[in-house]
Amino acid sequence: METEGSSFETSEVLATFLASTPLLSESWRLCNLANRTPNAGFVTEQIGDIGYVAFSSMEMISESDICYGELEPLDRGNNQFFSPLHRQINEGEDPIMVHSGFLSLFFAIYSCPDFQTQMEELMKKSKSIVIAGHSIRGTTASLSTLWLLSYLQSISSSLSVLCITFGSPLLGNESLSRSILRERWDGNFCHVVAKYDIMPRLFFSPLSHFSPQLPFLLKYWQVSLTSPDNKKLALQLHDEAKAEIYRFVLTYLQVILQGGDRMATSTSFWPFGSYFFCSEEGAICIDNASSVIKMMYLMLTMGSPSCSIEDHLRYGDYAARVSFEFLNQRSFMPGDLPESCYEAGIALALQSSGITNQEPVANLAKDCLKMAKRMGRTPNLNLANLAIRLSKITPYRAEIEWYKNCCDESDDRMGYYDSFKLRGTSKRDSKVNMNRIKLGSFWDHVIDMLENNLLPHDFHMRGKWVNASQFYMLLVEPLDIADYYRSGKSHYRQYGRERRYKIFDRWWKERRVTEKVNNNRSTLASLTQDTCFWARVEEAKECLDKVRSERDRGTLDSLWTNINEFERYAAELVESKQVSKDVLAQNSSYVLWVEELRVLRSQLMQFPVQFPNIVDMLK
């Protein structure tokens, strides 16, 4: 029977931790302090070993910043602020995008010398740093946390970092969320969301629809936080306008959920980290993005236009109440006892969300909480199971090795690559081709598990798996290239190379230097070290064929440049013994190409008058 992970895993631990410590209340206190400190922008404070940074939400945000700001690449201007995140983007994935206005707000804070100086002081004095922000400045807190985590990784610091936001809008797209997951930084973010607060839900809908009302809404929130007695004077938003915003956001959330995962992942903005949903009854913590969106919708359906705006101002009450509710003992009536511990956990979580069993959305909320629970094996158990599967596919790899040895020793002296490319319909050839496909399927499954957070965070840096993936690539990619060109295609490196090989290249380059990776003469080293070598040979053959018929001087120059560059490159590999014996087989594509090149040059050198330009290139 499958071993289940603990209920709500990371989110459960984080919720318990926050509820039993003063982190929430202290973070909110400092956000309020920043709001009441004129022209501060942010405040810092040292409490024991914990350094706090809190950003003011009182700076006026222009209408264009929030309403018309578009998503733009996080690596704006090729900056290195968030380099670990960019390193994790795989071929074919969308680039990491964030709201342009929020990114500008972060850079405005970062460029302030006072901010950099105080951050350096906190890092010297603290064992942990908490970065907090309310409303729009919650996005500044998130970006500051991403910057700090990136910096600490570059200097191998053990300083722990936690970001706590209150009523923060969404920051970026799904690629941002996936990259944070891959770095295992999702546990560093806790987004506190009031039950009905409209602000964290705004960016699920196009803001341009109600952009005229937003400046007044932001002004109302800002004045209410600093001068509660004057908030009515600042409110210039009619009930009809509030109702329109409420209905529009609710409708878009419903459309996203009805569209399923495909519709949800196609939205511009996407949650990341853990979401701490607060109500009068307590709080629940969810770290599954799809469940977060569904819970945002279900809670909002129970509210009203007015409370969706007022709830944005109640985070102080919620922060104080969470700890109190944590100390309260919850209980069930005798007739309501759940059948299992799991069902009891779901029932208690439902109570904490403020949704009673009598509410129309109660069953949907239960399903949402169950979806948030991570079922199946834990990452380490998944890894153990994967190791067993690896041992089961070893015979496939061994059969391909045997096939390579047979080809290398064959009387036709074509070698491994050309023998497979020109293969017939024999049982041996068919079995090797099937083994090639099975191995590719296994490694695609490994990559899929890693990208879905089902394997340990350092899986791709463990020597056993780095070596296994490298050996697979060295052994099998030549067969993939042969199969590609066998079908009459061209330009493998540009159009035909499987994504898995590009990922394995990165694993190999980023492997830990402390791991005992076998760099000596070994099974790995007995194979051609450039797994795309045969694709380069095919490209060189194509160039040589074109040279014979091409008459344009510019094109000829380019063709001969490519030919000469490959000739030098291949000679260096042969000289340094980085190619396997099949490359130098008497009838291999490479050896035949070298001979064709020699003959062509000899022929051209016999007629220097007719081909003076080409002769110059040959010298």
Side-chain angles (χ1 to χ4, degrees):
M1 182 178 178
E2 290 283 310
T3 304
E4 294 184 353
S6 62
S7 304
F8 312 110
E9 295 190 60
T10 303
S11 56
E12 182 185 27
V13 174
L14 180 61
T16 303
F17 175 68
L18 290 176
S20 59
T21 66
L23 288 176
L24 276 181
S25 57
E26 289 294 342
S27 297
W28 179 253
R29 178 182 66 82
L30 289 171
C31 285
N32 265 335
L33 179 61
N35 290 339
R36 290 176 168 79
T37 305
N39 303 317
F42 70 95
V43 296
T44 62
E45 188 170 307
Q46 189 76 37
I47 302 178
D49 292 331
I50 302 176
Y52 286 86
V53 185
F55 295 96
S56 169
S57 57
M58 291 301 100
E59 293 186 40
M60 285 301 297
I61 309 300
S62 69
E63 180 180 342
S64 61
D65 276 339
I66 185 170
C67 300
Y68 301 110
E70 298 179 349
L71 285 171
E72 68 168 292
L74 182 61
D75 58 347
R76 175 204 290 182
N78 296 319
N79 67 71
Q80 298 299 311
F81 288 93
F82 315 102
S83 54
L85 295 176
H86 305 307
R87 187 176 66 236
Q88 294 289 345
I89 290 294
N90 291 317
E91 189 73 21
E93 288 187 354
D94 293 331
I96 299 174
M97 307 286 282
V98 296
H99 189 283
S100 58
F102 300 156
L103 190 58
S104 296
L105 290 173
F106 163 73
F107 283 126
I109 283 284
Y110 181 82
S111 62
C112 174
D114 193 36
F115 174 74
Q116 297 185 36
T117 300
Q118 293 194 44
M119 287 301 297
E120 289 175 3
E121 287 298 314
L122 284 180
M123 283 188 275
K124 291 177 182 177
K125 299 177 181 178
S126 308
K127 292 183 178 179
S128 302
I129 290 182
V130 177
I131 302 178
H134 173 235
S135 196
I136 286 175
R137 279 303 186 178
T139 64
T140 305
S142 293
L143 286 168
S144 298
T145 302
L146 290 174
W147 157 73
L148 184 56
L149 288 169
S150 300
Y151 172 72
L152 293 175
Q153 186 181 98
S154 69
I155 62 173
S156 301
S157 172
S158 60
L159 186 68
S160 63
V161 183
L162 176 64
C163 176
I164 300 177
T165 70
F166 300 91
S168 173
L170 298 173
L171 174 60
N173 65 352
E174 188 192 7
S175 288
L176 173 65
S177 177
R178 291 179 69 88
S179 294
I180 290 172
L181 270 173
R182 288 171 188 158
E183 284 296 323
R184 271 38 179 198
W185 289 348
D186 48 313
N188 295 86
F189 294 87
C190 178
H191 305 290
V192 183
V193 174
K195 187 175 182 179
Y196 309 121
D197 185 6
I198 199 74
M199 176 57 100
R201 300 162 167 94
L202 272 181
F203 280 78
F204 286 115
S205 59
L207 299 187
S208 56
H209 181 81
F210 40 75
S211 57
Q213 297 96 329
L214 280 178
F216 301 118
L217 182 57
L218 294 174
K219 178 65 176 177
Y220 169 69
W221 280 335
Q222 290 171 341
V223 172
S224 298
L225 287 169
T226 52
S227 306
D229 295 337
N230 297 327
K231 69 178 183 179
K232 291 184 179 180
L233 300 177
L235 182 58
Q236 302 179 40
L237 200 62
H238 297 296
D239 290 341
E240 294 80 5
K242 290 188 288 184
E244 183 180 6
I245 295 175
Y246 175 80
R247 285 195 301 269
F248 197 67
V249 173
L250 195 61
T251 298
Y252 261 83
L253 276 169
Q254 185 177 25
V255 168
I256 291 171
L257 292 172
Q258 289 176 345
D261 290 341
R262 181 175 298 180
M263 173 67 75
T265 55
S266 67
T267 59
S268 297
F269 291 87
W270 194 248
F272 66 88
S274 295
Y275 274 72
F276 201 75
F277 289 98
C278 296
S279 72
E280 295 82 358
E281 301 299 324
I284 56 172
C285 198
I286 301 175
D287 60 2
N288 176 287
S290 297
S291 297
V292 166
I293 297 174
K294 189 170 185 178
M295 189 57 69
M296 282 190 173
Y297 168 73
L298 294 175
M299 286 185 161
L300 192 62
T301 60
M302 299 170 60
S304 66
S306 293
C307 67
S308 71
I309 292 174
E310 293 299 324
D311 233 21
H312 190 63
L313 305 173
R314 298 187 57 202
Y315 284 98
D317 296 336
Y318 286 127
R321 190 167 183 80
V322 164
S323 297
F324 172 76
E325 291 296 336
F326 176 72
L327 295 175
N328 264 347
Q329 293 291 327
R330 297 186 180 276
S331 59
F332 299 101
M333 296 297 292
D336 297 330
L337 286 175
E339 296 181 357
S340 66
C341 293
Y342 172 70
E343 292 294 338
I346 295 293
L348 290 174
L350 191 66
Q351 285 186 35
S352 297
S353 71
I355 301 176
T356 65
N357 285 321
Q358 288 71 40
E359 296 285 352
V361 298
N363 288 332
L364 292 174
K366 286 181 181 179
D367 292 340
C368 177
L369 292 170
K370 290 177 180 179
M371 183 173 67
K373 183 188 185 308
R374 296 181 178 179
M375 301 294 291
R377 293 175 179 266
T378 63
N380 283 328
L381 287 175
N382 282 334
L383 181 60
N385 187 52
L386 202 59
I388 295 172
R389 291 190 59 186
L390 177 64
S391 67
K392 290 181 179 180
I393 66 165
T394 298
Y396 303 150
R397 191 183 71 186
E399 288 178 1
I400 294 178
E401 290 182 76
W402 171 79
Y403 174 80
K404 181 182 185 306
N405 291 331
C406 290
C407 293
D408 291 345
E409 302 298 330
S410 175
D411 292 339
D412 59 23
R413 299 184 181 181
M414 286 192 301
Y416 179 49
Y417 172 78
D418 289 284
S419 294
F420 189 74
K421 181 181 176 184
L422 301 174
R423 70 186 183 275
T425 57
S426 69
K427 183 177 181 180
R428 184 187 72 167
D429 291 336
S430 299
K431 191 168 186 179
V432 167
N433 189 45
M434 184 58 65
N435 288 347
R436 173 183 70 90
I437 294 170
K438 288 179 179 178
L439 288 172
S441 177
F442 169 79
W443 284 106
D444 284 341
H445 176 68
V446 170
I447 292 170
D448 184 64
M449 290 185 68
L450 182 62
E451 292 180 346
N452 284 284
N453 216 26
L454 299 176
L455 294 173
H457 72 279
D458 62 344
F459 170 86
H460 61 294
M461 302 179 73
R462 298 191 180 191
K464 172 183 176 178
W465 291 97
V466 172
N467 285 337
S469 64
Q470 180 70 3
F471 181 45
Y472 157 74
M473 183 165 64
L474 293 173
L475 181 67
V476 177
E477 188 167 14
L479 300 184
D480 283 1
I481 297 171
D483 191 69
Y484 182 83
Y485 282 98
R486 174 187 170 90
S487 62
K489 300 175 184 177
S490 59
H491 303 293
Y492 169 86
R493 290 191 297 160
Q494 185 175 1
Y495 301 115
R497 197 178 193 213
E498 293 287 352
R499 176 170 167 261
R500 75 180 83 97
Y501 295 129
K502 300 173 185 179
I503 294 173
F504 294 160
D505 273 339
R506 189 176 72 237
W507 288 8
W508 186 252
K509 291 175 183 176
E510 296 175 359
R511 66 191 186 278
R512 290 173 178 163
V513 296
T514 55
E515 293 279 5
K516 295 182 179 179
V517 178
N518 198 344
N519 289 317
N520 300 318
R521 192 70 184 173
S522 64
T523 304
L524 286 177
S526 67
L527 298 164
T528 300
Q529 296 303 289
D530 179 0
T531 60
C532 286
F533 176 81
W534 290 109
R536 299 181 194 275
V537 172
E538 296 287 355
E539 292 166 9
K541 287 169 58 180
E542 186 178 346
C543 288
L544 201 58
D545 291 340
K546 289 181 178 179
V547 159
R548 294 188 174 94
S549 58
E550 185 60 56
R551 293 292 178 266
D552 180 74
R553 171 60 193 269
T555 304
L556 275 173
D557 285 348
S558 177
L559 289 172
W560 276 109
T561 297
N562 292 339
I563 289 171
N564 293 333
E565 286 181 354
F566 173 71
E567 183 184 30
R568 286 192 295 270
Y569 172 73
E572 290 173 0
L573 289 184
V574 172
E575 180 67 24
S576 59
K577 297 182 174 56
Q578 296 188 57
V579 296
S580 65
K581 61 190 299 184
D582 65 304
V583 172
L584 301 177
Q586 183 177 335
N587 296 319
S588 75
S589 292
Y590 171 68
V591 170
L592 294 178
W593 178 84
V594 171
E595 179 60 20
E596 286 183 40
L597 179 60
R598 185 193 65 78
V599 171
L600 179 60
R601 280 178 172 156
S602 176
Q603 292 172 346
L604 293 174
M605 291 297 287
Q606 293 177 17
F607 304 99
V609 177
Q610 291 90 329
F611 306 100
N613 296 330
I614 295 178
V615 171
D616 289 340
M617 284 184 280
L618 296 177
K619 291 180 179 178

